[in-house]
Amino acid sequence: MASSERSALLTYRLCGGSGEEERGRERGRATAAAAAAPRKLPTFLGVVVPTLLSMFSVVLFLRLGFVVGHAGLYQALAMFAVAYFIIGMTVLSVCAIATNGALDAGGAYYMISRALGPEFGGSIGIMFFLANVCGSALYVLGLVEAVVDSFGIPPGQKAGTGIHVLPQSYWYELLYGTVLLALCLLVCLVGASIYAKATFLIFLIVAGVLGTILVSFFATRPIGVPIRLPHFNGSETENGSFTGFSLTTLRENLGGGYGVDYTTGQMMSFSSVFAVMFNGCTGIMAGSNMSGDLKRPSYSIPRGTISAVLFTYLVYNLLAFLMCATCNRTLLQKDYGFLRDISIFPPLVTVGIYAATLSAAMSNLIGASRILYALARDDLFGRALALAKKTSASGNPVMAVILSWLVVQLVLFSGKLNTIAGVVTTFFLLVYATVNLACLALEWASAPNFRPTFRYFTWHTCLLGIAGCCVMMFLISPVSASASLGFLLVLLLALHYLSPSSTWGYISQALIFHQVRKYLLMLDVRKDHVKFWRPQMLLMVQNPRGSARLIDFVNDLKKSGLYVLGHVELQDLDALPSDPLQPQQDSWLSLVDKLNVKAFISLTLAPSVRHGVRQLLFTSGLGGMRPNTLVLGFYDDAAPQDGLARHPAFTSAREEVPLGFPPLRAPADPKLLSAREYVGIVADALKMLRNVLLARQLESLDKAWELRRAASPPPAIHVWPVNLLRPDSARYADTCSLFLLQMACVLNMARAWRRARLRLFLCVEAGAMPHAQEEKLRQLLKDLRIQAQIQLVPWDAVTRLHWQTRRGPPGGPAPAGEEEEEEGAVNFPANATQVSDEYVCAANKLVLEQSPAPAVRFLYLPRPPADTSLYPLYLRQLELLTRGLGPTVLVHGVSAVTSTQL
């Protein structure tokens, strides 16, 4: 039965209100109600009866002969096998999920939303609502068909006789359907509890009718059944035959004999007949919705559901065989109400048809309204479903019922049962596929809390259920299946981007965790190769308010590598009652979301900033994903500016004070670390074989203006791959210079910086064959596949200042006290007088004179001196070198990062 994924016996927990507070009160009332009304339903009344009523209705009484007459016995049995294979796999998934936790109002929607998250749950909830709506219309149309068959004026006659007084036409049948639907609406609004109490009586009537039908096949003598069919000239009469048990009749009905459906005029096929038949196999979740009212849910749901499914499967197969052995094909194809004609007590069959179809129609209408109410209560669609939250004083969602009734009324305009049977089947197949998907995802996620008491399922059964549903959807109607999947995808994307976050849990997070863990174990650091090197950044942030643009800039530098925002809190955990970092975590994560950077957060407590940075360098990352590059802001006396408040991500927000970060340090306030400690951090990182980047004045970089301005030439990136503080040891092909080139190239490869042009400055002295050096550098760039403009810069005047401070002539022996230095890692000279401030200022002026001004500059960062007493001098000369240069990045690399090989 197309629908009844919920039974009328189900007590829905219906309460008004919205929001977390209202839902909390609602859960409290539900808990109190559950305590006041103890669970008392056994397996038979709580699971078997609702499921059987959901599966025995229109198809059993009005369409089983249609299925057998067109498909023949063999194909009909094959249809039952395929259909019950699909729902069998789904039943296993339903039992697994249902026994892993109690279900609430909403049925499949509640099950899927709490298992897969709000995106899947909300989109499938809408699809399930539409399935119930179309199912309700299907049963109303089936009831109209039964009423017209009993009381309608026969085709070809203008006036009725006896009890046949109802006119037959599209508009009259629409009127009858509207009246019957209004009766269902009235019951749902006023007497839903009375209907619930009468469910068992309806079940007894259906069981009695079924027993009468089975007896009639044996007790009724062979008879002829005249069949009056509508015809364009009026009507025509054909004769069907009930032959009793006959081997000849059975042989004639073994094979298929597809013909024209006399209600729609369409030629039938295997897929169209299967679409009608499958509506008698749905309703398998009716028992699962009873979990709150069962004595032993984990015991009753699997046993009751599986028992009901097996019973209906046996009944359908038995009836199909009896029909094929006793009725000729004309009777089966042309007379949908032939069971009444051959019954030993026809009025009882009529009552059974009316009771079953009316019960199914109301059950679907109630089910649709409860799903709509559950969707509205969860606020997934915002104001669009706000009206459906309104309830009566007794808690009945009257507006959801009325809205569902309106949609069912629209579906009634389709006119015929067989017309919408395919749509209903497609919707339910889609819902069942996602139920299997939910169970499959829970099984694959290997979450410790997924411990269903029902264990007779595997991921293989889930996968088979999904495959079966999808295959049959497209066999029945490729257009309907494609449209349904497209509509589902639109809903899923809309909910993903527009719906508020929920506290239900997201299965996607569990699956991602499972896969990430697996692939991290496979990421072997012993197999690293320079060809596949990528920067993995640890950016230390003291206060994000003063580092918004730096955070964004480093995000461009990471080149799909690891990016960690590190922060050190100067506190002692021994003196604190709890971890102070946990409350800050959400603010940092919200910062990452708003800035739209792909970064992780790593916070730590330490007695000093230097110790904290050491901790993060040692512990950040996991497996083969660990930071290889430390990024620091520059240590100077500039007053920090609140770039966060001016950032577009926050200026468009309603909050005047973004997030929960403290205000910036006032210029007169002391700093959290000294100059010596700052340089010590750089030295520590180099000792730990981490590359180091020092970023100065990056907060003045307006990337949007620099990169989108229409002025010509395009913005430039200036690269100085020479140690300006040691011109006597300057090389362009050492490890540090090549790393600097690589970082500039990585920035230029970022999407936002592709318009920028690299300019590489080659410092040359007179008599040093500058053109030969330029050609050599150009060949190096070609080998490294780096596109850059080379510009020669004479710097004799600058180097002259350097040589004047040395004790010996150029090229002579190094003065005493100066240590030999490794390639690419030149130590700052022990004798500080060798690099004078005058020389550093001249080098600064040389860099500054190169016009036009670039968007950002990359400069060589020398290694800190071995003598820690020289740390302040080292930092002061770095400040002089970069003073007034605008956005500048000082770079020191310790690892090989370039390759000329394939």
Side-chain angles (χ1 to χ4, degrees):
M1 157 181 164
S3 77
S4 315
E5 299 303 14
R6 63 222 72 262
S7 160
L9 286 173
L10 177 59
T11 302
Y12 296 97
R13 299 181 179 92
L14 302 174
C15 304
S18 62
E20 287 300 323
E21 182 179 350
E22 187 62 32
R23 285 195 286 271
R25 291 196 294 268
E26 177 185 329
R27 285 191 291 269
R29 289 194 293 269
T31 304
R39 297 175 173 181
K40 58 183 179 180
L41 289 178
T43 302
F44 182 73
L45 291 179
V47 181
V48 177
V49 170
T51 306
L52 288 178
L53 273 181
S54 299
M55 302 180 75
F56 283 157
S57 59
V58 168
V59 172
L60 178 66
F61 295 115
L62 296 177
R63 286 297 184 272
L64 192 54
F66 161 85
V67 172
V68 175
H70 284 283
L73 180 61
Y74 290 153
Q75 292 189 38
L77 295 180
M79 288 182 184
F80 291 135
V82 172
Y84 274 85
F85 172 80
I86 292 173
I87 67 170
M89 298 299 101
T90 306
V91 163
L92 298 181
S93 299
V94 168
C95 293
I97 297 177
T99 57
N100 192 54
L103 298 180
D104 204 344
Y109 158 69
Y110 188 88
M111 181 183 296
I112 296 171
S113 63
R114 269 55 178 181
L116 296 184
E119 296 99 337
F120 269 101
S123 53
I124 290 299
I126 290 294
M127 304 301 287
F128 197 40
F129 165 75
L130 294 175
N132 276 269
V133 163
C134 294
S136 182
L138 181 141
Y139 295 122
V140 169
L141 292 174
L143 183 56
V144 168
E145 185 178 296
V147 170
V148 169
D149 192 41
S150 299
F151 303 104
I153 299 174
Q157 294 184 10
K158 295 183 179 180
T161 57
I163 62 173
H164 300 284
V165 295
L166 296 178
Q168 295 191 52
S169 71
Y170 170 80
W171 292 107
Y172 274 112
E173 291 179 5
L174 178 61
L175 176 62
Y176 305 150
T178 301
V179 172
L180 292 172
L181 182 60
L183 176 63
C184 295
L185 174 65
L186 184 63
V187 172
C188 292
L189 289 176
V190 180
S193 60
I194 299 174
Y195 165 68
K197 295 175 182 177
T199 302
F200 185 63
L201 177 61
I202 295 173
F203 171 74
L204 292 178
I205 294 173
V206 172
V209 172
L210 182 59
T212 301
I213 291 172
L214 291 174
V215 171
S216 298
F217 282 109
F218 295 91
T220 303
R221 295 180 179 180
I223 57 174
V225 181
I227 306 170
R228 303 192 67 175
L229 301 174
H231 196 265
F232 64 91
N233 288 328
S235 67
E236 61 180 16
T237 301
E238 294 190 23
N239 291 318
S241 298
F242 176 78
T243 64
F245 287 96
S246 169
L247 187 59
T248 301
T249 304
L250 178 61
R251 287 173 177 170
E252 291 176 352
N253 290 327
L254 289 178
Y258 295 102
V260 176
D261 174 25
Y262 72 87
T263 61
T264 62
Q266 296 177 352
M267 186 66 185
M268 293 293 100
S269 63
F270 182 92
S271 59
S272 59
V273 172
F274 179 87
V276 175
M277 183 278 302
F278 191 80
N279 288 283
C281 304
T282 57
I284 57 176
M285 283 185 274
S288 303
N289 295 330
M290 300 297 295
S291 59
D293 301 295
L294 298 172
K295 287 182 180 179
R296 299 166 62 190
S298 61
Y299 175 88
S300 298
I301 290 175
R303 288 166 175 78
T305 304
I306 293 174
S307 299
V309 169
L310 290 176
F311 180 74
T312 57
Y313 179 65
L314 293 175
V315 169
Y316 278 129
N317 281 274
L318 177 60
L319 287 177
F321 173 77
L322 293 176
M323 290 176 182
C324 284
T326 58
C327 304
N328 72 349
R329 196 177 294 272
T330 301
L331 180 64
L332 295 175
Q333 288 187 350
K334 306 297 185 182
D335 187 2
Y336 292 162
F338 78 97
L339 290 177
R340 181 180 59 251
D341 299 329
I342 67 171
S343 174
I344 56 176
F345 189 51
L348 182 59
V349 177
T350 302
V351 172
I353 293 174
Y354 292 172
T357 51
L358 189 62
S359 169
M362 285 189 288
S363 180
N364 275 264
L365 183 59
I366 292 174
S369 66
R370 269 46 177 185
I371 296 170
L372 190 62
Y373 174 71
L375 285 166
R377 188 180 58 183
D378 286 337
D379 282 327
L380 295 182
F381 293 90
R383 296 180 181 178
L385 296 180
L387 191 63
K389 294 181 184 179
K390 298 184 181 297
T391 61
S392 64
S394 61
N396 189 25
V398 290
M399 292 309 301
V401 173
I402 293 174
L403 291 173
S404 302
W405 166 75
L406 286 173
V407 181
V408 175
Q409 182 63 57
L410 292 175
V411 179
L412 286 181
F413 281 93
S414 61
K416 293 297 180 182
L417 185 153
N418 288 3
T419 304
I420 62 172
V423 176
V424 177
T425 298
T426 300
F427 282 148
F428 273 100
L429 284 170
L430 190 57
V431 171
Y432 291 163
T434 52
V435 170
N436 284 296
L437 177 63
C439 189
L440 178 68
L442 290 170
E443 178 70 8
W444 275 354
S446 301
N449 283 321
F450 183 59
R451 298 189 298 269
T453 56
F454 180 83
R455 296 301 304 166
Y456 299 100
F457 77 99
T458 67
W459 65 267
H460 304 87
T461 61
C462 302
L463 207 57
L464 287 173
I466 296 171
C469 290
C470 293
V471 168
M472 291 314 302
M473 277 173 54
F474 282 94
L475 283 180
I476 290 169
S477 175
V479 175
S480 297
S482 301
S484 299
L485 287 173
F487 183 53
L488 176 66
L489 183 61
V490 170
L491 287 174
L492 196 151
L493 292 175
L495 286 172
H496 178 74
Y497 289 106
L498 301 179
S499 69
S501 59
S502 73
T503 58
W504 307 337
Y506 295 79
I507 190 63
S508 58
Q509 295 299 303
L511 290 171
I512 290 170
F513 178 89
H514 184 268
Q515 293 301 108
V516 166
R517 180 193 63 85
K518 181 172 71 174
Y519 286 114
L520 272 176
L521 290 172
M522 296 171 62
L523 190 60
D524 191 346
V525 295
R526 294 169 296 183
K527 297 179 181 179
D528 283 346
H529 194 278
V530 66
K531 290 187 296 184
F532 309 111
W533 179 90
R534 65 181 72 240
Q536 305 198 78
M537 312 296 235
L538 171 61
L539 170 62
M540 298 305 304
V541 180
Q542 193 269 322
N543 190 333
R545 291 184 180 276
S547 308
R549 288 181 174 173
L550 176 58
I551 293 172
D552 183 63
F553 178 79
V554 177
N555 186 63
D556 291 334
L557 268 179
K558 71 180 187 307
K559 187 55 179 174
S560 302
L562 178 68
Y563 184 17
V564 180
L565 296 181
H567 173 72
V568 179
E569 193 78 15
L570 299 181
Q571 296 191 55
D572 184 4
L573 189 59
D574 291 338
L576 298 172
S578 62
D579 182 7
L581 299 178
Q582 291 300 324
Q584 300 181 27
Q585 195 79 18
D586 286 345
S587 294
W588 284 87
L589 292 175
S590 298
L591 173 76
V592 168
D593 291 339
K594 284 184 175 291
L595 293 180
N596 195 27
V597 296
K598 298 176 181 178
F600 297 95
I601 302 301
S602 187
L603 313 180
T604 189
L605 289 176
S608 69
V609 176
R610 186 174 182 181
H611 281 85
V613 176
R614 283 179 184 171
Q615 291 177 19
L616 294 177
L617 285 173
F618 277 123
T619 62
S620 293
L622 196 62
M625 294 189 67
R626 292 185 179 277
N628 56 29
T629 304
L630 175 66
V631 186
L632 301 172
F634 197 78
Y635 190 94
D636 56 21
D637 296 325
Q641 301 294 323
D642 193 345
L644 206 60
R646 302 191 303 270
H647 196 279
F650 296 95
T651 54
S652 60
R654 295 180 180 178
E655 301 98 339
E656 294 184 1
V657 181
L659 304 177
F661 298 110
L664 289 170
R665 173 183 61 85
D669 292 343
K671 298 180 179 179
L672 294 179
L673 75 166
S674 65
R676 187 184 300 272
E677 187 178 8
Y678 176 83
V679 179
I681 292 173
V682 176
D684 290 343
L686 296 178
K687 289 177 184 178
M688 298 166 68
L689 299 181
R690 302 300 201 276
N691 310 298
V692 177
L693 273 62
L694 304 184
R696 186 174 191 186
Q697 295 186 13
L698 261 296
E699 287 305 304
S700 66
L701 173 63
D702 190 346
K703 185 176 72 172
W705 182 84
E706 286 283 357
L707 301 179
R708 295 174 186 171
R709 57 187 176 138
S712 183
I717 300 173
H718 284 190
V719 183
W720 295 79
V722 63
N723 186 355
L724 293 174
L725 296 185
R726 287 300 306 272
D728 54 332
S729 62
R731 299 183 184 136
Y732 287 92
D734 64 15
T735 300
C736 187
S737 297
L738 292 177
F739 181 83
L740 188 150
L741 276 174
Q742 180 82 325
M743 295 310 299
C745 181
V746 166
L747 180 66
N748 193 210
M749 293 169 69
R751 183 184 302 274
W753 290 86
R754 286 177 184 170
R755 286 189 61 250
R757 296 291 180 264
L758 287 180
R759 293 183 68 191
L760 186 61
F761 292 91
L762 176 61
C763 297
V764 295
E765 299 181 48
M769 295 185 294
H771 294 293
Q773 294 183 28
E774 179 184 4
E775 188 60 32
K776 186 177 181 180
L777 181 58
R778 196 178 302 279
Q779 183 61 41
L780 174 65
L781 294 178
K782 182 180 179 181
D783 293 339
L784 296 177
R785 290 90 61 203
I786 297 176
Q787 295 183 357
Q789 174 189 353
I790 298 177
Q791 182 170 332
L792 301 180
V793 179
W795 69 331
D796 297 84
V798 177
T799 56
R800 191 177 300 113
L801 295 173
H802 170 67
W803 296 120
Q804 288 174 0
T805 62
R806 294 178 61 91
R807 297 175 183 175
E818 183 174 342
E819 302 174 357
E820 281 297 318
E821 301 152 9
E822 58 180 294
E823 178 183 340
V826 181
N827 283 324
F828 193 83
N831 187 351
T833 60
Q834 289 185 346
V835 182
S836 66
D837 289 352
E838 182 183 10
Y839 163 78
V840 176
C841 291
N844 168 265
K845 183 179 179 182
L846 177 71
V847 174
L848 196 58
E849 287 175 346
Q850 309 307 314
S851 61
V856 64
R857 289 180 172 91
F858 283 84
L859 269 63
Y860 191 113
L861 173 67
R863 180 182 285 269
D867 186 354
T868 58
S869 64
L870 297 177
Y871 280 2
L873 175 62
Y874 169 82
L875 184 59
R876 184 171 67 86
Q877 293 195 339
L878 290 181
E879 193 279 329
L880 288 175
L881 178 64
T882 57
R883 180 179 295 177
L885 295 185
T888 304
V889 181
L890 291 162
V891 181
H892 190 98
V894 296
S895 55
V897 296
T898 57
S899 173
T900 59
Q901 300 175 354
L902 287 177

